[in-house]
Amino acid sequence: MRHTSVVAETPEPSPSPDIDPDADRGDPLLAAYLERRTNLVRFLAARAGSLAVAEDLVQELYFKLAARDRGQDIGAPVALLYRMALNLMLDRARGEARSVARDTAWRQTAHAEVGGVDVADEPPADEAAASAQRLRQLVAAVAELPPQAGRAFRLHKLEGLSHAETARAMGLSVKAVEKHVSAALKALTARLGRRADA
Amino acid sequence: MPDDARRGAAADWLARLSAADLDASEAAAFDAWVSQPANGAAYDAVLSVALELQAAAPKLIEELNELPAPRRSNASRAWLALGGVAAAAALAIGLTPLSVFAPETQTFATAKGERKAVTLADGSTVELNGGSRLSVTLARHERRLSLPQGEAIFDVTPDKSRPFLIAVGDRTVRVVGTRFDVRHLGDDLSVTVERGVVEVRPADGVKGRIWRLHPGERLDVVEGPAAPAPQLSVADPQAVESWRTGKLIYRDRPLGEVVADLNQQFARPVVLEDPALARTRVSGVLILDNEEAVTRRLALLAPIKALPSPEGFTLRSDPAAKP
């Protein structure tokens, strides 16, 4: 029973985009979408903290675009595209945050219950569990950040507090939190980034 | 643009993108920036590091918590080593080397069904219920905590010069010295006081009144601008805190609350088939042994049936059943 539910909880691989190459004919919004799909994924991955969620949302956005009434006049397609993406995230943000937290807690519990053998744990490549050595590198890199940057990064990016919640926990302004998170990201990338993408 | 500056710009964008006040025109500016191939590559490098760290977050937090506290003396020595001139210059322009004084933030988390007792450096104790996250910062002039998810009982060491502040959703709970329970599941938060006085006030920038709670009082708040008004009621703190002994005790509480509590305890979700069921009132005691037995017993307390589903358990209305 336990084993069955472990398997049942494994995230399904996200469906491949089912995109009709001619779909953008005469539709500037759909054309903008097809041209900017990568950027939209980049944008949503930063906001959602997960590539899988971002891919999912971008796919959902496509269905929304394809299903919408094409009669309306579109002033600035790019801004409209991002507004729709932001709204989609808003719709899902609360439920998503909760289910991610639930998944994590669930995985920890399941892990303990199957006696150290993570039966279901074959996450997609972008979420690959860090090897023990890589994990040590990650821990050291975060631990050795300047104190304020380290705390801001940890509260916001690792523990999932919003900028405002992080600001409250640290007694700083929201702008200052943003600055510390940026400094942390820069230092972490310099230290942990793969040479290949430099 | 040199690589380092580009990486800085990429990090700025990545940090900016998760801001709550980001709008579509700024997003479009990001789109234009990231469309430059060199910018795109720099951004992808930062993004992949951020995502790798975020994917490893639970393990990272666990490992970071086990590290010894950083040695402050190194920082101050390094700073003093800059010599009198640098120190004097820093003072002259009013700078304080923050790192020397910055208080540490500790974080604690529990898995489903796990309970954990923590003693803080000021002598206060916190008992965490399952599926909870808590961060604690003991600063010189205040004790700041945040409970983004879950439930905890706080027994606070009195210290008038250092208020004890807990951020829960869009409220802040402020105490001087007391014992009380805070529950924050989804958008619902509640505070039940066992001893002393607790103040619940809206977070900065949120409208709403300040509540002062006394022993035996419970305040239920739903987060968000369109939420119904907070409800003050009489509660038995022993019943509210019963989770610490592996029981859940309810006296005329909505079924939705019971389900939310169970979902903190067990891995497989319990769901209501019809959301309207959430309002059904429930009284009784649930012993938290195993999920199947608990849901079966719950079905005896209300006109419902508990059905196993592929994911967990579904509660269905069953008017034929005797509550």
Side-chain angles (χ1 to χ4, degrees), chain A:
Chain A
M1 195 62 208
R2 165 62 55 194
H3 183 84
T4 314
S5 68
V6 166
V7 174
E9 287 280 341
T10 312
E12 292 283 316
S14 53
S16 62
D18 176 22
I19 290 173
D20 168 7
D22 294 330
D24 65 321
R25 221 179 286 146
D27 185 344
L29 199 52
L30 213 48
Y33 170 90
L34 293 172
E35 200 184 326
R36 281 156 217 282
R37 197 174 189 284
T38 311
N39 289 354
L40 286 161
V41 172
R42 284 165 160 161
F43 174 77
L44 290 167
R47 269 183 94 84
S50 151
L51 208 50
V53 172
E55 286 284 358
D56 222 39
L57 284 165
V58 166
Q59 183 69 2
E60 214 173 306
L61 180 58
Y62 175 78
F63 291 130
K64 261 217 147 76
L65 289 173
R68 87 184 202 294
D69 170 21
R70 299 192 186 188
Q72 329 136 341
D73 173 49
I74 297 149
V78 178
L80 179 55
L81 210 51
Y82 278 93
R83 190 167 313 125
M84 289 177 76
L86 281 166
N87 287 340
L88 259 186
M89 272 218 80
L90 267 187
D91 293 348
R92 287 192 17 171
R94 296 195 145 181
E96 198 61 55
R98 250 174 268 149
S99 73
V100 167
R102 201 178 301 136
D103 271 352
T104 307
W106 185 87
R107 195 171 294 170
Q108 284 166 348
T109 316
H111 188 95
E113 289 199 20
V114 293
V117 184
D118 227 338
V119 208
D121 210 2
E122 202 160 1
D126 58 89
E127 279 178 88
S131 69
Q133 196 198 346
R134 182 65 175 167
L135 182 65
R136 275 199 298 278
Q137 288 173 353
L138 300 184
V139 171
V142 175
E144 285 163 31
L145 286 170
Q148 296 278 87
R151 284 176 59 209
F153 179 82
R154 186 168 157 171
L155 292 174
H156 172 56
K157 288 290 179 203
L158 300 183
E159 301 190 19
L161 268 60
S162 69
H163 281 174
E165 287 169 333
T166 307
R168 233 180 291 151
M170 293 181 65
L172 296 174
S173 71
V174 171
K175 269 286 154 200
V177 166
E178 223 176 280
K179 218 185 74 205
H180 284 307
V181 171
S182 168
L185 285 168
K186 189 180 171 191
L188 290 167
T189 308
R191 181 161 171 171
L192 298 168
R194 321 263 182 194
R195 288 289 103 203
D197 25 46

